[in-house]
Amino acid sequence: MALTGIQIFKLLPQTNCKECGAPTCLAFAMNLASGKAELDSCPYVSDEAREQLAEASAPPILPVQIGKGVRARTVGGETVQYRHEKTFFNPTALAGKIKSDMDDKELDQKLKVWNAFQFERVGFTLRPELVALEDANGDADAFAAKAKKIAENSEFNLILMSENLDVMKAAVEVCKFKNPLIYAATKDNFDDFSALAKENDLPLTIKADSVEGLMEMTDKLREEGFKKIVIDSGSRDVKKAYEDQVNIRRAALKKSNRSVGYPTIVFPCEMASNLDMETLLASMFIAKYGAICVMSDFASESLFALLLERLNIFTDPQRPMTVVEDIYPIGNPDENSPVLITTNFALTYFIVSGEIEGSKVPAWLLVKDTEGLSVLTAWAAGKFAGDDVGMFVKKCGIGDKVKNKELIIPGYAASITGEIEEELPDWTVTVGPREAPHLPAFLKQRQ
């Protein structure tokens, strides 16, 4: 059960050394209780207290890392039922399923196509992370060969899907360096599969026919000190699977039930007969509350929509996406190129920069820090005022890069023209279009 700030404070050294970044041990305890601090920040906590606090301060849904390399993914670690309460932390990992009897050439081609699915969106690279390799016929050699091929020749990480111990051992032996997820331990093979996972220090999926069955097995593993657990309630009926996801999350968060405090895996590929319906179900489970979502295949028209939904859901709703305040050259500008300015709200920046790039007119784009607000909102909040904009233009160094000292400001900020001119007497201030799509015509006309 989670401890209160006062209970945590009693276990701390109470030296008020400030090395943790908080002014007092009490403040640190309160931050720890609310999830705003990490226990490792305190260098003087005793081993005994650390053991008690580590359990108490752990998130209600434990984080589990799957894979290694650029597509490694931590799942779980969530602390709230609804994202507006705080935020969701670890985005749902997307997996595509491959069977172990697939022809090698077909596998190479599929991995090549899947690897190409990388999309740029507001500064982020969106892509799937996992391949779920399913044992098709109990052939340990074929399963291990496919696992090795995927692990060594692609960036994808692995979910190894078999309930046959010999098949699983063969695959683990050749790809354990990639930290694959073992799927799945059931009541029939629980002892063997849990021993295999512990021996190789790999994450393990527990699968049961009910939530109660899950709890029995996870309790046993927790007592043995094993926490790298992913759970599958076993339901493939859409309504029941959805109810299981909600009930598991609610039990872990609201009732502090550690027995189900683990990330979940869901299988839209086993609940639908076509990829379109799988995509619809996957979109539901990304929101409620699948940590890993397994699809039968990846196609750009469905994958992009899921990746974009995932980005939106797992973006902190209390913190706008931003870009760094800086000077951004677009299209190899020179000393005679126009100078434009906008705010550091990520969506604003990417729309404006995209329109400038599309105009084929080289330009300098100044991005001012407005705490992630759009132009009109930043102006209304006083964060895109004329004197502030003028000071930023002076300090950013753009004056050393251009001869033609003309600043083009967004049309929605036309009212700050006079203030900028007072701050920048050597510059000419021109009011540009209100809407970014009008920038290409505006820049071409001036050129």
Side-chain angles (χ1 to χ4, degrees), residues 29 98 108 127 162 170 225 315 330 362 370 372 377 398 420 432:
I98 287 175
D108 289 338
R127 57 193 174 194
S162 177
T315 296
I330 300 175
T370 57
T377 307
I398 188 62
I420 299 176

Side-chain angles (χ1 to χ4, degrees), residues 152-170:
E152 293 181 350
N153 299 314
S154 78
E155 293 180 346
F156 286 101
N157 289 296
L158 278 161
I159 303 173
L160 301 175
M161 299 180 63
S162 177
E163 295 183 5
N164 183 308
L165 180 63
D166 293 333
V167 171
M168 188 61 72
K169 278 184 175 180

Side-chain angles (χ1 to χ4, degrees), residues 114-135:
W114 285 5
N115 192 60
F117 289 140
Q118 301 192 46
F119 309 94
E120 292 291 331
R121 181 75 175 182
V122 292
F124 294 95
T125 299
L126 311 180
R127 57 193 174 194
E129 297 82 20
L130 297 169
V131 170
L133 179 63
E134 183 178 31
D135 177 19

Side-chain angles (χ1 to χ4, degrees), residues 94-375:
L94 297 177
K97 186 188 284 189
I98 287 175
K99 292 194 174 184
S100 60
D101 60 355
M102 178 179 286
D103 178 80
D104 282 344
K105 289 185 179 180
E106 185 181 354
L107 175 59
D108 289 338
Q109 180 61 28
K110 186 170 283 289
L111 290 177
K112 182 179 179 180
V113 171
W114 285 5
N115 192 60
F117 289 140
Q118 301 192 46
F119 309 94
E120 292 291 331
R121 181 75 175 182
V122 292
F124 294 95
T125 299
L126 311 180
R127 57 193 174 194
E129 297 82 20
L130 297 169
V131 170
L133 179 63
E134 183 178 31
D135 177 19
N137 49 23
D139 186 334
D141 292 337
F143 190 72
K146 291 293 190 296
K148 183 178 181 181
K149 188 178 189 68
I150 295 168
E152 293 181 350
N153 299 314
S154 78
E155 293 180 346
F156 286 101
N157 289 296
L158 278 161
I159 303 173
L160 301 175
M161 299 180 63
S162 177
E163 295 183 5
N164 183 308
L165 180 63
D166 293 333
V167 171
M168 188 61 72
K169 278 184 175 180
V172 166
E173 184 63 30
V174 297
C175 70
K176 61 183 177 182
F177 69 93
K178 256 314 190 48
N179 193 39
L181 172 64
I182 295 175
Y183 182 95
T186 65
K187 63 180 181 180
D188 296 324
N189 63 19
F190 175 78
D191 291 336
D192 291 333
F193 268 54
S194 59
L196 179 65
K198 286 184 284 187
E199 178 184 346
N200 293 279
D201 194 28
L202 296 177
L204 173 67
T205 304
I206 301 298
K207 179 183 178 182
D209 296 330
S210 64
V211 175
E212 291 73 18
L214 286 174
M215 293 169 61
E216 182 179 344
M217 288 187 278
T218 58
D219 285 345
K220 185 174 181 180
L221 286 176
R222 193 170 77 253
E223 290 171 2
E224 297 170 354
F226 186 80
K227 298 179 180 178
K228 295 183 177 182
I229 300 170
V230 175
I231 55 179
D232 177 5
S233 67
S235 177
R236 299 299 183 261
D237 174 76
V238 174
K239 180 181 178 182
K240 183 63 167 62
Y242 173 79
E243 290 175 347
D244 286 347
Q245 294 301 308
V246 174
N247 291 335
I248 287 170
R249 175 68 72 99
R250 183 176 292 129
L253 297 183
K254 305 302 182 183
K255 298 182 180 179
S256 301
N257 188 340
R258 290 290 189 184
S259 299
V260 291
Y262 303 98
T264 61
I265 185 169
V266 291
F267 289 84
C269 59
E270 297 179 12
M271 303 180 198
S273 59
N274 59 74
L275 188 58
D276 289 344
M277 183 56 68
E278 283 183 40
T279 304
L280 180 64
L281 296 179
S283 69
M284 175 181 73
F285 287 123
I286 288 173
K288 302 273 187 179
Y289 292 100
I292 303 169
C293 190
V294 182
M295 310 287 290
S296 64
D297 199 358
F298 290 137
S300 58
E301 62 271 18
S302 66
L303 183 60
F304 178 69
L306 294 177
L307 291 170
L308 193 58
E309 178 199 10
R310 184 177 76 176
L311 174 66
N312 290 336
I313 288 177
F314 285 88
T315 296
D316 188 344
Q318 301 175 22
R319 183 178 302 172
M321 289 186 292
T322 63
V323 294
V324 178
E325 181 178 84
D326 206 346
I327 302 171
Y328 291 83
I330 300 175
N332 298 316
D334 57 26
E335 59 187 10
N336 297 311
S337 298
V339 179
L340 300 91
I341 190 168
T342 190
T343 68
N344 75 328
F345 177 42
L347 189 57
T348 296
Y349 165 75
F350 283 102
I351 290 175
V352 171
S353 62
E355 294 293 348
I356 296 173
E357 187 174 357
S359 74
K360 307 298 183 185
V361 178
W364 302 95
L365 179 60
L366 309 185
V367 174
K368 183 185 181 302
D369 183 5
T370 57
E371 300 179 10
L373 300 178
S374 64
V375 171

Side-chain angles (χ1 to χ4, degrees), residues 340-343 345 348 351-352 373-386 389 407-420 429-439 442:
L340 300 91
I341 190 168
T342 190
T343 68
F345 177 42
T348 296
I351 290 175
V352 171
L373 300 178
S374 64
V375 171
L376 192 57
T377 307
W379 169 79
K383 299 183 185 299
F384 200 71
V389 170
L407 180 67
I408 300 172
I409 66 173
Y412 280 117
S415 62
I416 66 174
T417 301
E419 296 174 353
I420 299 176
V429 180
T430 300
V431 178
R434 287 192 169 195
E435 305 294 341
H438 298 155
L439 275 173
F442 175 81

